[in-house]
């Protein structure tokens, strides 16, 4: 049960505080007391924590009465102080324990612990209300080393990441870094806070390492736009991202290939180094050397779609040959960042096969980034059902619906009239195959389905797929030499038509193309 007094007028007498705490003891035995204040200390909320339970009270007492509460009523050895710097308290914040807890968590970077003596000093300072002149304690060598270690020598400003040990224009090496405070070292500074500035001046978690231009930006050019909370988020984000990327050093290194074939009028970008690292880390892998770009959208500029796709089989085979030849010395292992028409990706997957260790990577349609939807595999992502008799026959239809099941695809399957096997995602979407292990499950399911059809005498399978780029390649990898001939359908000018034939003897053969 939460007990929130903050919605009422503040407690302004010792008797009110004592009565509140006596009532509170009937529902909560607290082990920690904290103080959440606004930037000018005009509003002070005391939070009483007991594991996950929190109760709150606004208190407005004299200095001596506050000391008495600390020593006799709060029953704690220290209080943690946090300050909201982006805005004063609002009625919306005061009215909800959840909002108060959110504000408390948001201000982690502006916090100090106050012992009994610290608390007295804190009260003296805020009751005087007079900011100290000048800057507080200078950085110690220990703090400088800690901040440098956390930054790994790169600018912590979000999206910058500039190396701070070399000038990229001249090549001169040196120290080009600047330390910047979240909460300003001076109480009169643009992000200064009475009492807190002095206490946090030499605290590493309150300091970012920045390049020259972003140091000037946050301190001079646009100081009002970059509050302490925003800068602290940048610091945490940089440390977290650097940790994730550097964790990849412990993983096995494999070659990385990018293949960008046109999809409509879209011009898609290859993955950057961070996207590559994060995708590979899901497989506990890391990139070997540099990314190897086998084809990009620019390769097809000025060429009509008809001309391009009339040669799609040669394009697919060229990509396969490059990957196979370059991975021979790496046990035929590589990560494939490929995007293109569904049928082309299925064909590439079929030619690469499942004997090597080729890992298709997902491009998220939702975020526009190369990333897996989940860092852990999910259970029961797929369902399979059969429609019609499969005791024996010559031809069958296989529908794989992962991102959707368009009516035009269902209509064509119905028009063919062959027995139908449907493999569907439990939840449609680009992330319906959220993890590489789920991709391997899909590949195994395709392989077993085609193998079963072959054993029952089926010679041809009509394959209809609506899936992500990575899932399409896993589907292709499910094909094997002793499987029936597969006719791959794709969307052509708002229709769905047979495009490629995958055959154990002929390989990948163009049927009608995209013309």
């Amino acid at each position: 049960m939460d007990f929130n007094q903050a919605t009422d007028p503040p407690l302004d007498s010792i008797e009110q505080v004592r009565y509140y705490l006596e009532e509170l003891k009937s529902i909560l035995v607290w082990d920690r007391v904290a103080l959440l204040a606004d930037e000018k200390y005009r509003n002070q909320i005391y939070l009483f924590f007991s594991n996950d339970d929190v109760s709150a009270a606004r208190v407005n007492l004299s200095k001596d009465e506050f000391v008495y509460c600390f020593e006799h009523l709060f029953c704690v050895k220290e209080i943690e102080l946090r300050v909201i710097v982006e805005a004063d308290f609002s009625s919306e914040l005061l009215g909800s324990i959840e909002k108060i807890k959110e504000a408390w968590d948001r201000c982690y970077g502006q916090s100090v612990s106050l012992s009994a003596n610290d608390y007295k000093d804190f009260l003296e300072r805020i009751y005087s209300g007079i900011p100290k002149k000048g800057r507080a304690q200078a950085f110690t060598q220990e703090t400088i080393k800690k901040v440098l270690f956390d930054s790994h020598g790169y600018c912590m400003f979000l999206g910058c990441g500039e190396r701070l040990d070399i000038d990229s224009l001249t090549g001169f090496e040196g120290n080009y870094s600047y330390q910047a405070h979240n909460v300003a070292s001076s109480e009169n500074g643009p992000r200064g806070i009475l009492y807190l500035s002095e206490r946090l001046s030499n605290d590493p978690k309150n300091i970012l390492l920045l390049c020259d231009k972003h140091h000037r930006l946050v301190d001079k050019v646009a100081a009002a736009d970059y509050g302490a909370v925003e800068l602290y988020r940048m610091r945490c984000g940089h440390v977290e991202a650097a940790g994730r990327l550097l964790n990849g050093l412990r993983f096995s290194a494999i070659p990385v290939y990018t293949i960008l074939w046109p999809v409509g009028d879209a011009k898609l970008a290859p993955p950057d180094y961070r996207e590559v690292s994060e995708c590979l880390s899901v497989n506990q892998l890391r990139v070997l050397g540099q990314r190897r770009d086998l084809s990009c959208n620019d390769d097809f500029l000025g060429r009509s779609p008809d001309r391009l796709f009339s040669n799609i089989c040669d394009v697919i085979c060229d990509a396969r040959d490059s990957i196979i030849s370059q991975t021979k010395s790496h046990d035929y292992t590589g990560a494939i960042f490929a995007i293109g028409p569904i049928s082309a990706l299925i064909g590439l997957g079929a030619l690469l096969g499942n004997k090597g260790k080729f890992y298709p990577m997902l491009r998220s349609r939702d975020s526009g980034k190369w990333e897996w939807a989940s860092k852990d595999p999910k259970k029961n992502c797929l369902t399979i059902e059969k429609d019609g008799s499969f005791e024996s026959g010559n031809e069958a239809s296989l529908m794989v619906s992962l991102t959707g099941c368009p009516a035009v695809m269902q209509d064509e399957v119905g028009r063919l009239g062959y027995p139908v096997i449907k493999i569907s995602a439990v939840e449609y979407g680009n992330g319906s195959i959220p993890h590489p292990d789920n991709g391997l499950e899909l590949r195994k399911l395709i392989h077993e389905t085609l193998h079963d059809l072959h054993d029952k005498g089926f010679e041809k399978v009509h394959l209809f797929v609506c899936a992500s780029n990575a899932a399409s390649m896993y589907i292709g990898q499910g094909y094997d030499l002793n499987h029936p001939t597969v006719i791959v359908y794709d969307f052509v000018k708002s229709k769905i038509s047979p495009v490629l034939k995958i055959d154990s003897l002929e390989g990948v053969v163009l049927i009608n193309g995209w013309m």
Side-chain angles (χ1 to χ4, degrees), residues 77-95:
K77 294 182 178 180
E78 64 179 23
I79 287 178
E80 184 177 359
L81 164 68
R82 295 187 186 180
V83 175
I84 298 178
V85 296
E86 69 265 31
D88 289 343
F89 281 21
S90 65
S91 57
E92 180 184 4
L93 181 148
L94 296 173

Side-chain angles (χ1 to χ4, degrees), residues 286-312:
R286 64 184 174 91
V287 61
L288 176 66
Q290 299 296 316
R291 189 188 72 200
R292 309 175 192 196
D293 299 330
L294 298 185
S295 63
C296 66
N297 296 142
D298 291 341
D299 295 340
F300 305 98
L301 290 177
R303 299 171 61 180
S304 69
D306 292 350
R307 183 181 175 189
L308 167 64
F309 292 114
S310 64
N311 298 316
I312 192 64

Side-chain angles (χ1 to χ4, degrees), residues 371-430:
E371 61 183 0
W372 290 101
S374 174
K375 294 189 180 300
D376 299 301
K378 294 186 178 180
K379 295 182 179 180
N380 305 318
C381 289
L382 302 170
T383 63
I384 183 169
E385 58 180 306
K386 297 181 179 181
D387 178 19
S389 173
F390 284 89
E391 294 303 317
S392 62
N394 186 52
E395 298 187 48
S397 294
L398 174 58
M399 291 178 60
V400 184
S401 305
L402 303 182
T403 55
C405 190
V408 64
M409 188 168 78
Q410 298 180 60
D411 292 342
E412 182 63 15
V413 171
R415 188 189 68 79
L416 290 177
Y418 301 126
V420 182
I421 298 177
K422 298 179 181 178
I423 297 175
S424 303
V426 173
E427 294 182 7
Y428 287 151
N430 194 248

Side-chain angles (χ1 to χ4, degrees), residues 38-58:
D38 63 21
E39 193 171 0
K40 303 298 183 183
Y41 299 104
R42 288 178 296 221
N43 289 284
Q44 299 180 34
I45 298 181
Y46 285 82
L47 306 177
F48 301 87
F49 289 88
S50 177
N51 297 323
D52 294 331
D53 294 325
V54 182
S55 292
R58 277 199 297 165

Side-chain angles (χ1 to χ4, degrees), residues 171-219:
F172 278 99
E173 296 182 354
N175 183 0
Y176 298 94
S177 64
Y178 292 83
Q179 287 88 12
H181 286 93
N182 298 338
V183 175
S185 178
S186 169
E187 293 179 2
N188 292 294
R191 292 183 300 277
I193 302 175
L194 195 70
Y195 184 78
L196 214 59
S197 286
E198 182 177 16
R199 287 291 300 271
L200 293 178
S201 180
N202 190 46
D203 189 335
K205 76 173 185 291
N206 187 49
I207 303 164
L208 295 90
L209 204 68
L210 299 177
C211 64
D212 179 50
K213 68 180 177 184
H214 287 121
H215 179 245
R216 291 175 181 273
L217 178 72
V218 303
D219 271 2

Side-chain angles (χ1 to χ4, degrees), residues 325-363:
S325 64
Q326 293 180 33
T327 58
K328 186 176 181 179
S329 59
H330 301 290
D331 296 323
Y332 299 103
T333 299
I336 316 296
F337 291 79
I339 196 77
I342 288 174
S343 52
L345 297 175
I346 293 172
L348 177 60
L351 290 183
L352 289 174
N354 50 44
K355 300 302 184 288
K357 293 181 180 179
F358 297 110
Y359 301 91
M361 295 295 162
L362 177 67
R363 185 182 187 277

Side-chain angles (χ1 to χ4, degrees), residues 116-322:
N117 289 332
D118 292 332
Y119 189 66
K120 293 175 184 178
D121 180 52
F122 163 71
L123 292 174
E124 290 283 351
R125 294 283 293 111
I126 67 170
Y127 271 89
S128 73
I130 303 173
K132 286 186 176 181
K133 295 182 179 180
R135 297 172 65 88
Q137 178 185 359
F139 302 125
T140 63
Q141 285 301 313
E142 289 76 14
T143 294
I144 292 173
K145 287 194 293 185
K146 180 67 170 74
V147 175
L148 181 62
F149 181 84
D150 287 347
S151 73
H152 299 280
Y154 290 80
C155 177
M156 287 179 159
F157 192 90
L158 181 63
C160 178
E162 180 178 330
R163 281 182 61 178
L164 301 176
D165 63 343
I166 189 170
D167 176 53
S168 59
L169 180 63
T170 65
F172 278 99
E173 296 182 354
N175 183 0
Y176 298 94
S177 64
Y178 292 83
Q179 287 88 12
H181 286 93
N182 298 338
V183 175
S185 178
S186 169
E187 293 179 2
N188 292 294
R191 292 183 300 277
I193 302 175
L194 195 70
Y195 184 78
L196 214 59
S197 286
E198 182 177 16
R199 287 291 300 271
L200 293 178
S201 180
N202 190 46
D203 189 335
K205 76 173 185 291
N206 187 49
I207 303 164
L208 295 90
L209 204 68
L210 299 177
C211 64
D212 179 50
K213 68 180 177 184
H214 287 121
H215 179 245
R216 291 175 181 273
L217 178 72
V218 303
D219 271 2
K220 302 289 185 183
V221 178
D225 295 326
Y226 293 96
V229 171
E230 178 64 22
L231 292 179
Y232 183 72
R233 285 176 183 157
M234 286 188 188
R235 190 188 197 285
C236 291
H238 180 93
V239 172
E240 181 183 349
R244 286 200 307 269
L245 293 174
L246 293 173
N247 279 340
L249 294 174
R250 297 196 297 265
F251 301 148
S252 299
I254 64 170
V256 169
Y257 300 89
T258 67
I259 300 170
L260 304 180
W261 293 325
V263 181
D265 296 326
K267 185 176 180 180
L268 304 176
D272 59 33
Y273 187 79
R274 177 173 177 173
E275 290 173 314
V276 170
S277 297
E278 292 188 348
C279 283
L280 293 182
S281 68
V282 176
N283 289 86
Q284 294 191 332
L285 300 168
R286 64 184 174 91
V287 61
L288 176 66
Q290 299 296 316
R291 189 188 72 200
R292 309 175 192 196
D293 299 330
L294 298 185
S295 63
C296 66
N297 296 142
D298 291 341
D299 295 340
F300 305 98
L301 290 177
R303 299 171 61 180
S304 69
D306 292 350
R307 183 181 175 189
L308 167 64
F309 292 114
S310 64
N311 298 316
I312 192 64
C313 292
D314 292 336
V315 173
I316 295 171
C317 289
D318 289 343
R320 185 274 313 267
D321 292 342
S322 296

